[in-house]
Amino acid sequence: MNVTENIYYVGVNDHKIDLFEGQYPVSNGMAYNSYIIMDEKIAIMDTVDINFTDEWLENIKKTLNGKKPDYLIIQHMEPDHSSNIINLLNTYPETILVGNPKTFLMIEQFFHTDIKNKLVVKDNDILSLGNHELKFIFAPMVHWPEVMLTYEINQKILFSADAFGKFGALDKDEDWDDEARRYYFGIVGKYGKPVQALLKKASSLEINMICPLHGPVLSNNLNHYIDLYDKWSKYESEDKGVLIAYASVYGNTKKAALLLKEKLEKENIKVSCYDLARDDMTKAISDAFKYQNIILASITYNASVFPYMNTFISHLVERNLQNKNIGIIENSSWAPMASKTITNKLSELSNIFYFNSLVSIKSSLNDDNIKQIDDLVLEIKNV
């Protein structure tokens, strides 16, 4: 598949996978992207997951049509992109591996072999293939320390490693924003400052196309994708709507959460609602970063919160949630602890504002709780 006249896609689609990185549901699979730049010198951009060795090597063979690659550019050493390095060398032993010092340290760690044929590059080094000139842009902690991007100077193409990637195979049509957001906050989200540093570097480049290691090649409306990355890495909300995440055992907490949802929607406020025990928690995490307002509804459980709520909050803290308005619905038949537990767990986060209207249920909803929910709706409406 042609990306441009002399750049070819040789990646693969994975529909065997159910959980990416063992935790992210991917009902539409994954794409492991790899590219070939054909020139006086030929460069392959990254490898693919080990389960697709034969398919990838066959894609390369067909594209090369009897030629041999001169370089393998290694932008990222995570195994879904690097696990076929040795298999490529076994097939094309004269290939020169191109990476930075941390790249080759990780190659030794993964493969326990000393690479003789290698080119170690520094930040901003340029490798000429002939008509194509590749500039290497180091991007440490986006989202591993060895990551580097590659900018093709003449055609103004950014090979972006895991940046600007998304879940989903390329033979499935789905919205980019939602699956890219879920990918970003699941995998990259903690590293907002390194992403900001990368965007600052990228701002000095004229970019006509972005070729990530997951998801589609981006060539239209690039400002949309770059602006989203800027917003995400600054932990700014995209929407003034509300995420409601609840953890309920006997249904009373759920009833309160759904009543709040109903009342908010009557006020024409956008609402996203998740049962943390049953729904895809990775989507709830994504929406927590998307929306300005978050409502956490949980029973008291073992003098804390219900385990699914505890897990959800841990994910938010781990990913450095910031700049949010938080409301709490707690439920307890005795010794309520959910509200105190939630505020304690979120205490290390920055710029967290709590709504005054705590909904505190004793076993089941009563008239006072409904009044508390109405007050919470009013606060959200006026925020």
Side-chain angles (χ1 to χ4, degrees):
M1 180 178 76
N2 284 59
V3 177
T4 68
E5 183 179 354
N6 296 305
I7 299 177
Y8 300 85
Y9 180 84
V10 291
V12 299
N13 287 314
D14 181 359
H15 288 291
K16 300 176 183 178
I17 190 170
D18 60 341
L19 294 175
F20 183 71
E21 292 192 352
Q23 59 179 317
Y24 304 104
V26 282
S27 59
N28 283 332
M30 283 298 295
Y32 309 117
N33 296 343
S34 176
Y35 309 88
I36 292 180
I37 304 174
M38 300 290 287
D39 206 327
E40 295 171 20
K41 299 288 187 179
I42 297 171
I44 299 174
M45 307 296 297
D46 299 286
T47 82
V48 301
D49 185 85
I50 195 64
N51 293 306
F52 297 88
T53 303
D54 293 341
E55 181 180 346
W56 178 65
L57 289 175
E58 184 62 24
N59 290 345
I60 291 172
K61 180 181 178 181
K62 288 179 179 178
T63 302
L64 292 179
N65 193 26
K67 297 179 180 180
K68 296 181 180 180
D70 296 281
Y71 301 106
L72 172 64
I73 313 295
I74 305 167
Q75 299 184 107
H76 184 23
M77 277 300 299
E78 204 164 4
D80 56 330
H81 308 299
S82 69
S83 59
N84 277 298
I85 289 173
I86 303 303
N87 290 325
L88 182 79
L89 290 180
N90 289 338
T91 307
Y92 302 103
E94 296 178 0
T95 304
I96 298 171
L97 302 191
V98 181
N100 58 64
K102 292 180 180 178
T103 306
F104 289 104
L105 175 62
M106 289 191 179
I107 288 175
E108 168 62 28
Q109 291 173 179
F110 275 112
F111 301 110
H112 311 292
T113 187
D114 183 29
I115 301 298
K116 304 295 185 183
N117 218 10
K118 63 185 178 183
L119 175 61
V120 181
V121 298
K122 302 186 295 295
D123 194 18
N124 295 316
D125 275 359
I126 294 175
L127 174 64
S128 178
L129 303 179
N131 293 321
H132 296 81
E133 292 188 309
L134 305 181
K135 181 178 181 178
F136 302 108
I137 301 169
F138 286 15
M141 300 318 300
V142 186
H143 55 115
W144 278 26
E146 87 302 348
V147 170
M148 66 182 190
L149 281 60
T150 306
Y151 179 64
E152 201 292 304
I153 295 172
N154 296 320
Q155 292 184 293
K156 300 176 175 54
I157 298 172
L158 184 66
F159 294 89
S160 61
D162 268 355
F164 299 100
K166 66 176 283 293
F167 295 125
L170 297 186
D171 56 1
K172 294 289 186 178
D173 185 24
E174 62 185 1
D175 179 74
W176 189 91
D177 291 11
D178 286 344
E179 286 302 273
R181 184 190 310 104
R182 189 165 70 96
Y183 178 90
Y184 176 89
F185 284 111
I187 295 169
V188 187
K190 179 179 179 179
Y191 303 107
K193 288 183 178 179
V195 173
Q196 278 291 302
L198 171 60
L199 291 175
K200 185 176 180 180
K201 288 184 177 182
S203 68
S204 66
L205 306 173
E206 183 180 349
I207 302 172
N208 292 334
M209 183 180 294
I210 298 174
C211 296
L213 288 179
H214 296 294
V217 170
L218 306 174
S219 57
N220 297 314
N221 195 19
L222 293 184
N223 285 338
H224 171 75
Y225 307 111
I226 294 171
D227 288 348
L228 278 178
Y229 253 64
D230 184 49
K231 188 180 292 289
W232 293 342
S233 57
K234 289 177 179 175
Y235 304 97
E236 295 177 354
S237 302
E238 297 170 58
D239 193 296
K240 292 184 178 180
V242 182
L243 164 71
I244 301 174
Y246 67 87
S248 186
V249 174
Y250 296 108
N252 292 302
T253 306
K254 175 181 178 179
K255 186 179 295 184
L258 295 181
L259 179 61
L260 174 62
K261 178 178 183 290
E262 178 186 337
K263 288 176 177 287
L264 287 170
E265 289 176 338
K266 285 183 179 178
E267 298 292 338
N268 295 315
I269 297 171
K270 188 182 295 184
V271 183
S272 177
C273 189
Y274 292 89
D275 178 346
L276 295 178
R278 294 174 175 83
D279 296 331
D280 183 349
M281 191 177 291
T282 68
K283 292 183 178 180
I285 293 166
S286 176
D287 279 355
F289 285 90
K290 177 181 180 180
Y291 292 113
Q292 180 62 49
N293 307 289
I294 301 172
I295 307 300
L296 302 174
S298 177
I299 63 166
T300 296
Y301 192 86
N302 288 337
S304 181
V305 291
F306 198 62
Y308 288 100
M309 178 62 71
N310 186 56
T311 298
F312 182 62
I313 292 173
S314 295
H315 282 302
L316 301 184
V317 172
E318 179 184 339
R319 287 158 177 79
N320 204 19
L321 184 80
Q322 298 177 35
N323 309 314
K324 298 294 179 181
N325 305 319
I326 304 289
I328 298 173
I329 298 173
E330 68 173 4
N331 190 355
S332 178
S333 294
W334 74 95
M337 290 294 294
S339 177
K340 181 178 180 180
T341 300
I342 289 169
T343 54
N344 284 343
K345 288 180 178 295
L346 297 178
S347 61
E348 65 186 81
L349 301 178
S350 300
N351 299 322
I352 299 297
F353 167 80
Y354 289 94
F355 292 113
N356 292 319
S357 303
L358 169 66
V359 180
S360 187
I361 303 165
K362 293 183 178 178
S363 301
S364 64
L365 277 171
N366 60 25
D367 290 342
D368 288 340
N369 299 141
I370 294 172
K371 173 63 166 59
Q372 291 165 352
I373 290 173
D374 288 336
D375 290 342
L376 181 56
V377 170
L378 186 61
E379 278 198 82
I380 295 170
K381 183 179 177 181
N382 292 332
V383 75

